[in-house]
């Protein structure tokens, strides 16, 4: 090849290189503010963080945080549980056990109780928020043990002064518990030999009735509607999980869904819709299951079932969705605190799976234990990173 041809070829190659660079720079600028997922939800290989939100599902505005709705920190210290009661949020201070009430927008914070119980690590509230089970560590007898205190407020939360908490101690060997939405019964499980026993009782732990027995020991329980108690095997990405319903009246025990690794699940108040998630090594997927129609459909977001909450009419589901999915075994390493997420809150319409992003990326939170205000104008959640309580205005 003579010198002239070599120069021409070199010019052509240089020109093409410049055009390619200009193209990719322009494309990069055009994608600012978006989360790009090359090739779908999960890449075929590589060890970097996985982008779990495809660019075509970025909400109606097409931008992260497009609505800039109000996100407010409600607690001054870590909490062990919270609920919506009498138009306010009630929460338990993890360190002191003191209860506080605060308005949804963060205003009007006051101490609600004059009872101090240090070291409460779990607080399970009733649907109305006025009854609760407090779990804490006690060393009264010299050895550290778990105490379970079933209680309620002795007066109305609307009063401006702190009110008393009255209740009874439940057996120390309780492993899981739930309060009926009818506010008249409790359900709890405990080990008896090689079996896990399930008991229903009244609020004085009387009228006890055994309604459940299983050789499997680790259960997460919930009581979403009048006669439906649900039991979920503790999830692990290395083991198949199962989700069951238990009739509190008849004791009928039935499988809802199962045989899924890393299974997480919750059912709505009607008992017709289940949101469930499956997880494993570097994988996470969420779906909706309509029991009445026997239909299963993938949700357009990848998250854990416990990061979601149904609207009261089950028209929508609100989910906290990780922006990135660090390589890990899920949900195990997330429970263990070895990995953490930065979430966005999504609203999914269950009729057509349309989506809307409700929070911005400027706040770094890993949300869990979500619940709604009575008229659905606020969603509340606990930030798993530091156990602080937050609210997000929806309307």
């Amino acid at each position: 090849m003579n010198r002239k041809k070599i120069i021409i070829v070199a010019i052509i190659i240089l020109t093409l290189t410049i055009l390619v660079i200009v193209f990719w720079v322009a494309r990069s600028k055009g994608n600012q503010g978006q989360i790009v997922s090359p090739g779908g939800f999960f890449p075929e290989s590589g060890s970097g963080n996985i982008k779990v939100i495809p660019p075509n599902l970025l909400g109606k505005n097409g931008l992260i945080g497009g609505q800039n709705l109000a996100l407010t920190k409600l607690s001054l210290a870590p909490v062990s549980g919270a609920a919506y009661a009498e138009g306010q949020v009630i929460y338990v201070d993890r360190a002191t056990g003191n209860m506080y009430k605060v308005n949804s927008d963060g205003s009007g914070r006051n101490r609600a109780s004059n009872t101090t119980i240090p070291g409460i690590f779990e607080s399970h509230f009733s649907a109305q928020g006025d009854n609760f089970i407090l779990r804490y560590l006690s060393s009264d007898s010299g050895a550290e043990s778990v105490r379970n205190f079933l209680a309620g407020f002795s007066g109305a939360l609307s009063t401006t002064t702190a009110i008393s908490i009255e209740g009874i101690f439940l057996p120390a060997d309780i492993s899981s518990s739930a309060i009926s939405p009818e506010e008249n019964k409790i359900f709890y499980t405990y080990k008896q030999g090689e079996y896990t026993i399930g008991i229903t009782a009244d609020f004085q732990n009387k009228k006890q009735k055994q309604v459940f027995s299983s050789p499997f020991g680790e259960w997460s329980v919930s009581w979403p509607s009048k006669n439906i108690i649900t039991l979920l095997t503790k999830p692990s990405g290395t083991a198949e999980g199962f989700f069951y319903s238990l009739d509190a009246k008849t004791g009928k025990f039935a499988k809802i869904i199962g045989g899924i690794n890393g299974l997480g699940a919750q059912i709505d108040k009607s008992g017709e819709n289940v949101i469930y998630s499956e997880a494993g090594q570097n994988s996470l997927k969420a779906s909706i299951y309509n029991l009445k129609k026997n239909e299963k459909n993938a949700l357009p977001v990848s998250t854990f079932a416990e990061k979601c909450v149904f609207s009261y009419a089950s028209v929508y589901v609100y989910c906290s969705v990780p922006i990135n999915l660090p390589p890990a075994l899920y949900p195990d390493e997330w429970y263990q605190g070895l990995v953490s997420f930065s979430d966005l809150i999504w609203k999914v319409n269950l009729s057509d799976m349309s989506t809307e992003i409700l929070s911005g990326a400027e706040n770094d939170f890993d949300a869990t234990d979500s619940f709604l205000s009575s008229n659905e104008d606020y969603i509340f959640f606990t930030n798993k990173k530091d156990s602080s309580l937050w609210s997000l205005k929806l309307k």
Side-chain angles (χ1 to χ4, degrees):
M1 183 179 294
N2 58 38
R3 180 181 179 84
K4 184 177 180 180
K5 289 184 178 180
I6 292 175
I7 294 173
I8 293 173
V9 170
I11 292 172
I12 293 173
I13 293 174
L14 179 61
T15 303
L16 290 174
T17 301
I18 293 171
L19 289 174
V20 169
I21 291 173
V22 171
F23 172 79
W24 282 108
V25 169
R27 180 171 177 173
S28 176
K29 289 182 178 180
N31 281 332
Q32 286 180 358
Q34 297 185 2
I35 297 174
V36 180
S37 173
F41 279 80
F42 304 109
E44 294 296 327
S45 62
S47 59
N49 288 358
I50 299 168
K51 301 293 187 182
V52 298
I53 304 175
N56 62 320
L57 292 176
L58 284 175
K60 68 178 185 181
N61 294 318
L63 295 173
I64 298 301
Q67 294 196 55
N68 295 318
L69 299 184
L71 190 64
T72 305
K73 188 176 183 179
L74 300 182
S75 66
L76 300 178
V79 305
S80 63
Y84 191 78
E86 297 184 21
Q88 289 184 300
V89 182
I90 185 84
Y91 67 85
V92 181
D93 184 280
R94 182 184 289 267
T96 66
N98 295 332
M99 289 194 177
Y100 291 85
K101 55 185 178 180
V102 62
N103 293 324
S104 301
D105 61 2
S107 64
R109 184 185 297 105
N110 289 293
R111 183 170 168 177
S113 74
N114 54 15
T115 303
T116 299
I117 308 175
I120 294 178
F121 61 89
E122 283 183 6
S123 303
H124 301 294
F125 283 85
S126 65
Q128 301 301 320
D130 53 352
N131 293 296
F132 37 87
I133 297 174
L134 307 178
R135 288 169 60 81
Y136 64 98
L137 293 175
S138 172
S139 56
D140 292 343
S141 58
E144 202 169 65
S145 61
V146 176
R147 304 296 300 273
N148 299 276
F149 188 52
L150 171 64
F153 292 107
S154 61
L157 282 173
S158 57
T159 181
T160 57
T161 58
I163 56 179
S164 298
I165 292 175
E166 298 178 354
I168 63 167
F169 284 100
L170 297 172
D173 54 356
I174 287 176
S175 55
S176 58
S177 59
I179 300 176
S180 164
E182 298 290 299
E183 307 276 338
N184 60 350
K185 290 182 180 181
I186 59 172
F187 172 76
Y188 57 84
T189 63
Y190 65 93
K191 290 287 288 184
Q192 188 177 80
E194 296 181 355
Y195 284 81
T196 295
I197 305 300
I199 299 291
T200 58
D202 63 18
F203 272 30
Q204 298 301 314
N205 199 27
K206 298 177 180 178
K207 298 182 180 179
Q208 295 181 12
K209 179 182 178 182
Q210 180 179 325
V211 293
F212 174 73
S213 176
S214 168
F216 188 82
E218 296 294 323
W219 298 95
S220 295
V221 303
S222 179
W223 200 329
S225 59
K226 183 176 180 180
N227 290 321
I228 296 178
I229 298 171
T230 62
L231 297 100
L232 173 69
T233 54
K234 290 293 180 69
S236 172
T238 62
E240 292 184 344
F242 294 85
F243 187 50
Y244 297 93
S245 66
L246 173 68
D247 191 305
K249 190 174 182 179
T250 67
K252 182 181 177 182
F253 188 61
K255 186 180 79 171
I256 298 175
I257 194 168
I260 298 174
N261 278 35
L263 177 66
Q266 60 169 303
I267 197 168
D268 68 357
K269 297 182 184 302
S270 71
E272 292 185 6
N273 297 288
V274 175
I275 181 171
Y276 68 97
S277 55
E278 48 190 301
Q281 191 67 48
N282 303 338
S283 65
L284 180 58
K285 178 183 177 182
S287 302
I288 191 79
Y289 178 26
N290 185 291
L291 279 69
K292 191 173 183 179
K293 299 178 181 178
N294 193 28
E295 290 181 356
K296 299 176 183 177
N297 292 291
L299 284 177
V301 293
S302 293
T303 191
F304 296 118
E306 65 192 85
K307 280 178 167 283
C308 298
V309 59
F310 284 101
S311 66
Y312 291 115
S314 296
V315 176
Y316 305 104
V317 62
Y318 299 91
C319 293
S320 298
V321 182
I323 298 174
N324 294 319
L325 195 68
L329 175 64
Y330 293 107
D332 307 55
E333 293 186 48
W334 181 64
Y335 287 143
Q336 296 162 8
L338 300 178
V339 295
S340 182
F341 302 133
S342 294
D343 291 342
L344 299 174
I345 296 180
W346 290 61
K347 177 182 178 181
V348 180
N349 188 321
L350 295 179
S351 63
D352 60 7
M353 294 299 171
S354 60
T355 62
E356 189 175 348
I357 293 178
L358 304 179
S359 70
E362 64 273 9
N363 295 98
D364 185 21
F365 59 83
D366 185 356
T368 188
D369 298 326
S370 299
F371 58 96
L372 296 169
S373 59
S374 57
N375 58 358
E376 293 187 33
D377 57 345
Y378 280 89
I379 185 172
F380 309 96
F381 63 88
T382 299
N383 184 358
K384 192 173 180 290
K385 295 177 187 287
D386 60 5
S387 296
S388 58
L389 181 66
W390 291 74
S391 71
L392 174 68
K393 186 173 177 59
L394 300 178
K395 296 181 181 178

